[in-house]
Amino acid sequence: EILYQKVHGPFIGEVEEGNAQTGLISNLFAAPIFRHDSEPTDFLMVLGQLTTSSRVASSGEVLTELGVVLRPLPANIYCVGQTEPRVKVFSPNTNDEKKFINAFVPYQVAKNLQRTEELHGNGLTFESIKDRLFGNTAIPQTQLRLRIKQVANFERKDNGIWSLKSVGEDDFPGVEALG
């Protein structure tokens, strides 16, 4: 990426005109990379837990202790500087987070239902929606059902399958309009 005058680059600091700056850039963050010429006295200290079989508690639990390992640095290494987030991450339980989740959940449900209906010709059960899309989240089931109802119809005769609403039904704008 070429930076022009008065254009803020992807890093926190400024890059002087005519200079190049290597960086580690992903969808989540950007960080500058610097070459570091190490001195013979430089070292890398690694902290970790050591388990020693000789130290056992009376309950039979193996005791661990903090271990330190010192390693020499190679003559030339590259260090990554301060990371600059590229995606906004909301603080937990804020209005911004709730607003994001209220838009994100129905879109993900609608997109997944659309894909499943195209591939298999039928919708999904509540359990499969919850496990496929939100298995690692703490969204309460009642909240999830409310979000699913925004984009899908519950069909009792088909063993409790949720199927995607048609565009215009109950003011449903369609999957692409949600995203």
Side-chain angles (χ1 to χ4, degrees):
E1 174 179 349
I2 298 175
L3 302 178
Y4 298 99
Q5 281 185 336
K6 298 184 182 179
V7 174
H8 187 305
F11 307 124
I12 293 173
E14 294 182 15
V15 179
E16 293 181 20
E17 188 175 347
N19 289 344
Q21 177 63 56
T22 306
L24 178 63
I25 300 174
S26 72
N27 291 338
L28 296 176
F29 67 89
I33 296 178
F34 302 96
R35 183 167 178 244
H36 176 73
D37 296 322
S38 60
E39 300 291 327
T41 56
D42 289 348
F43 60 89
L44 177 66
M45 182 170 68
V46 181
L47 295 175
Q49 289 189 343
L50 299 175
T51 57
T52 55
S53 57
S54 61
R55 296 193 57 204
V56 178
S58 59
S59 64
E61 181 182 354
V62 177
L63 298 175
T64 59
E65 56 186 37
L66 187 62
V68 178
V69 177
L70 297 178
R71 295 189 176 162
L73 289 181
N76 297 310
I77 62 169
Y78 289 87
C79 300
V80 177
Q82 185 171 357
T83 59
E84 173 79 11
R86 297 184 75 172
V87 175
K88 183 170 182 158
V89 178
F90 302 109
S91 299
N93 300 322
T94 60
N95 288 334
D96 286 339
E97 182 203 27
K98 290 174 186 165
K99 195 181 337 178
F100 172 78
I101 286 179
N102 289 343
F104 178 77
V105 171
Y107 174 72
Q108 290 299 318
V109 170
K111 190 87 170 154
N112 205 285
L113 282 171
Q114 181 183 48
R115 189 177 306 122
T116 303
E117 289 176 3
E118 288 173 357
L119 292 174
H120 303 293
N122 61 342
L124 295 169
T125 64
F126 177 78
E127 289 301 317
S128 59
I129 291 172
K130 186 177 75 151
D131 293 342
R132 274 183 174 184
L133 299 174
F134 307 105
N136 295 329
T137 61
I139 298 175
Q141 286 191 7
T142 54
Q143 290 292 321
L144 184 56
R145 282 188 198 279
L146 285 172
R147 303 293 167 250
I148 294 172
K149 284 181 184 178
Q150 292 176 355
V151 297
N153 292 320
F154 184 69
E155 299 177 11
R156 294 183 198 283
K157 62 183 178 199
D158 290 335
N159 297 327
I161 297 286
W162 290 90
S163 60
L164 191 63
K165 289 183 178 179
S166 304
V167 175
E169 181 181 348
D170 295 332
D171 296 328
F172 177 60
V175 177
E176 296 307 316
L178 291 174

